[in-house]
Amino acid sequence: MTKTIHIVSGPIGSAKSRSFREWHAERIAKYGPIPLTLATPTNNLSNEHHSRFLELGVKSHVISQEIFRSASEEFKSQCAKRYDGVLICNNKIALNTSTDTANRILVLDESFSPLETIKIWFKSAEDVQELTVTDSHVDGYYEVVATPMNQSWSEDNDYKSYGKPARELDAFVKNQHHQVVIDKETFDAAISGEEFEKKKKKGMEKVPLQFTIFTLPTIVDAHKETIVLAANLERTMLALMWSRDVVFQSHKEIEDRLDYHDLSHQAVNIVLYNLPLKNLSQSFYDRLHKDMGAELFYIAYASTVATTFGHRPHIFCTNKNGDKDYDWALECEGFGERVMTAPHGWNSLSHHTMAVFGAAINHDPVTRHRLMAFYGITAKQAKAALCYEMVQQFIGRTAVRNKDNTSTITVVVPDEGIAAYIQELYGCAPSTPLELDLSYERKALGRPQVNRTVEEQRTYDRERKAAQRARNKAASAEQPSL
């Protein structure tokens, strides 16, 4: 059965959130209390909504682990009590709670991706045999329908040593609103022991299995109505995956309030630059250097930015090296402000007029194949939904989000594909390619050395550390809510 989800689709900075809040406040004034759940991607955005609702005289309640020991339990409790104001919480909490929500409107501020991946390194074919699969509706794939924990395995069973990924897989398999799939060839080779024998010959003991989890549109059925506030929703993974089962209908009452409906007014303000790469990817890092490819890339990238633009303040992002972000030399000098790659709801950076995106964001080949097999989503569409839309969210943290902005916004992106997408999105002038020296030598960034006295160096170090602490505190406040 086809369902309808209302959307408020407008560019970044077009006042989607403000327009929604004002619309909701007017409806309350006209009809009385209206129970509503507002799901956000970050604590900072949740708190901002709360303060704005208070200004409008609308009752709201923020739920996160910053405030409550168990945010999910607090949310369930408030739903059970029939809280008639706005419950503001994390996306996952709102989507995964289905009891006592039938009278509530669900509003998602920003789209979410209904696609997840779990990889587990299995120790033996016997462990794989504990999984129960069935043929999926797509040739060549199984659907996982039970895991060992679903069969009441004891706490001391060895399967528990697989840890968090196994527990997450178990939760997804048990949830009727998720479909967990794996290709038959890979699974059969593992369950038969054939793949383990191949690994042993190479001196390896474990075999990885990659499970793809698709979130189904039925996950919103427990709510009275669903509204999504999102930029370029039609290009997101949510729209691409759900469009065959969902009619996304424009919410005219809210959209008519937006400040603007496209980014054409900012076209003259965007000056776009790109590195001379077709596509920045992990494989590019590996080709550059087996162990230090990403590190060398960021040394060269920062050097290019410093040489071209000097010591100009900017926001930037990089990939991570394990749990740590890669170094960006201009951050160490105090000119770069680090931002996460998907900074939904970061509204405190609009004074910046330069953005440098530096992360390689790509789906792996297995995921690309499964998206095509199950949803007919091409590699180009998947790349745009994952990477390009992330870049435009990143750029949207700058002054470009200001309605009356007249400042020139310098945008530097790492490859030609991103540049073409941003040019098409804004309608700005074509991107200018930059030079990139990818020699393997570690080198300085081409800036003149600063000679300081001992006291000047101490003052500089104190100020730099204070600035870093302030940035870390601000970034912590805007981390994903739980």
Side-chain angles (χ1 to χ4, degrees), residues 17 20-25 28 32-40 45-46 48-54 56-63 74-75 78-79 82-89 104-109 229:
S17 296
F20 151 69
R21 288 191 299 264
E22 292 175 350
W23 168 81
H24 185 58
I28 291 174
I34 301 174
L36 184 144
T37 297
L38 177 58
T40 77
L45 186 54
S46 293
E48 181 177 335
H49 273 296
H50 177 61
S51 64
R52 299 303 183 191
F53 275 128
L54 289 179
L56 293 169
V58 175
K59 181 170 67 173
S60 68
H61 180 56
V62 176
I63 300 173
E74 173 64 14
F75 181 71
Q78 292 297 331
C79 288
R82 296 292 193 268
Y83 182 81
D84 61 1
V86 180
L87 291 177
I88 308 175
C89 63
R104 309 191 69 82
I105 296 173
L106 172 64
V107 178
L108 299 169
D109 191 351
L229 318 177

Side-chain angles (χ1 to χ4, degrees), residues 163-448:
K164 184 179 178 181
R167 292 191 295 273
E168 291 178 341
L169 180 68
D170 181 64
F172 280 125
V173 169
K174 289 178 179 177
N175 191 317
Q176 62 178 327
H177 304 303
H178 295 98
Q179 181 182 23
V180 181
V181 303
I182 188 168
D183 62 278
K184 289 184 175 182
E185 182 178 358
T186 300
F187 187 83
D188 288 347
I191 201 171
S192 67
E194 176 185 343
E195 190 62 25
F196 286 93
E197 291 300 320
K198 289 182 180 179
K199 293 294 185 184
K200 286 181 181 178
K201 292 178 180 179
K202 297 180 180 180
M204 303 166 66
E205 295 183 356
K206 298 180 181 180
V207 170
L209 292 183
Q210 182 167 321
F211 302 90
T212 300
I213 299 93
F214 299 127
T215 302
L216 307 177
T218 55
I219 201 166
V220 301
D221 287 354
H223 299 84
K224 180 179 180 180
E225 179 185 354
T226 301
I227 302 173
V228 181
L229 318 177
N232 305 319
L233 182 71
E234 69 281 358
R235 307 186 190 208
T236 65
M237 193 60 73
L238 182 72
L240 292 174
M241 287 177 58
W242 284 14
S243 58
R244 67 186 181 192
D245 300 308
V246 170
V247 173
F248 290 99
Q249 184 175 20
S250 296
H251 198 299
K252 295 296 292 180
E253 287 185 41
I254 302 178
E255 286 192 350
D256 286 347
R257 298 166 179 260
L258 300 183
D259 290 341
Y260 44 84
H261 296 275
D262 59 50
L263 294 168
S264 58
H265 64 291
Q266 291 287 4
V268 296
N269 299 324
I270 300 293
V271 180
L272 187 59
Y273 297 86
N274 68 275
L275 297 184
L277 305 175
K278 291 291 185 183
N279 175 46
L280 180 65
S281 64
Q282 182 61 52
S283 60
F284 170 82
Y285 294 154
D286 294 339
R287 291 195 302 272
L288 184 61
H289 191 282
K290 180 181 178 181
D291 301 313
M292 296 175 55
E295 186 176 10
L296 290 169
F297 168 76
Y298 287 118
I299 292 172
Y301 196 178
S303 178
T304 293
V305 171
T307 301
T308 308
F309 305 102
H311 294 169
R312 182 174 170 183
H314 59 277
I315 62 172
F316 74 96
C317 66
T318 69
N319 287 116
K320 287 181 176 292
N321 181 13
D323 294 329
K324 182 180 179 296
D325 295 300
Y326 279 104
D327 290 336
W328 179 252
L330 299 175
E331 178 184 27
C332 300
E333 292 295 324
F335 302 105
E337 184 166 354
R338 187 181 294 274
V339 177
M340 66 171 63
T341 53
H344 293 290
W346 285 42
N347 299 322
S348 60
L349 303 171
S350 60
H351 58 286
H352 279 286
T353 57
M354 181 173 177
V356 182
F357 193 89
I361 307 293
N362 295 276
H363 287 296
D364 61 87
V366 171
T367 300
R368 290 199 298 269
H369 292 155
R370 293 177 184 178
L371 284 171
M372 171 57 77
F374 281 81
Y375 291 93
I377 297 173
T378 67
K380 183 176 180 180
Q381 289 174 312
K383 174 74 174 181
L386 176 70
C387 175
Y388 299 162
E389 280 300 302
M390 193 177 292
V391 177
Q392 68 95 8
Q393 282 285 342
F394 177 84
I395 295 169
R397 301 311 107 193
T398 68
V400 75
R401 71 181 297 104
N402 298 333
K403 177 182 177 181
D404 300 320
N405 172 63
T406 57
S407 300
T408 297
I409 310 297
T410 301
V411 176
V412 187
V413 296
D415 63 49
E416 296 171 0
I418 297 175
Y421 187 86
I422 298 303
Q423 181 193 357
E424 184 267 334
L425 184 66
Y426 282 91
C428 60
S431 181
T432 300
L434 299 173
E435 294 184 0
L436 184 68
D437 182 2
L438 289 171
S439 63
Y440 286 11
E441 300 172 347
R442 288 176 169 271
K443 51 186 177 296
L445 295 180
R447 297 188 298 275

Side-chain angles (χ1 to χ4, degrees), residues 80-211:
K81 294 175 182 177
R82 296 292 193 268
Y83 182 81
D84 61 1
V86 180
L87 291 177
I88 308 175
C89 63
N90 169 266
N91 285 335
K92 288 189 176 181
I93 290 175
L95 290 169
N96 289 301
T97 302
S98 58
T99 56
D100 301 313
T101 60
N103 68 323
R104 309 191 69 82
I105 296 173
L106 172 64
V107 178
L108 299 169
D109 191 351
E110 301 295 350
S111 171
F112 73 96
S113 176
L115 171 70
E116 297 195 47
T117 296
I118 291 177
K119 182 177 286 188
I120 298 178
W121 291 79
F122 283 87
K123 302 174 183 177
S124 68
E126 288 72 26
D127 284 349
V128 180
Q129 290 166 9
E130 296 294 338
L131 299 175
T132 303
V133 298
T134 186
D135 286 342
S136 75
H137 67 277
V138 175
D139 289 342
Y141 289 89
Y142 290 124
E143 181 173 350
V144 183
V145 295
T147 67
M149 283 182 284
N150 200 31
Q151 300 170 14
S152 301
W153 278 41
S154 63
E155 286 296 322
D156 59 351
N157 192 284
D158 187 56
Y159 188 81
K160 293 290 183 180
S161 67
Y162 287 112
K164 184 179 178 181
R167 292 191 295 273
E168 291 178 341
L169 180 68
D170 181 64
F172 280 125
V173 169
K174 289 178 179 177
N175 191 317
Q176 62 178 327
H177 304 303
H178 295 98
Q179 181 182 23
V180 181
V181 303
I182 188 168
D183 62 278
K184 289 184 175 182
E185 182 178 358
T186 300
F187 187 83
D188 288 347
I191 201 171
S192 67
E194 176 185 343
E195 190 62 25
F196 286 93
E197 291 300 320
K198 289 182 180 179
K199 293 294 185 184
K200 286 181 181 178
K201 292 178 180 179
K202 297 180 180 180
M204 303 166 66
E205 295 183 356
K206 298 180 181 180
V207 170
L209 292 183
Q210 182 167 321
F211 302 90

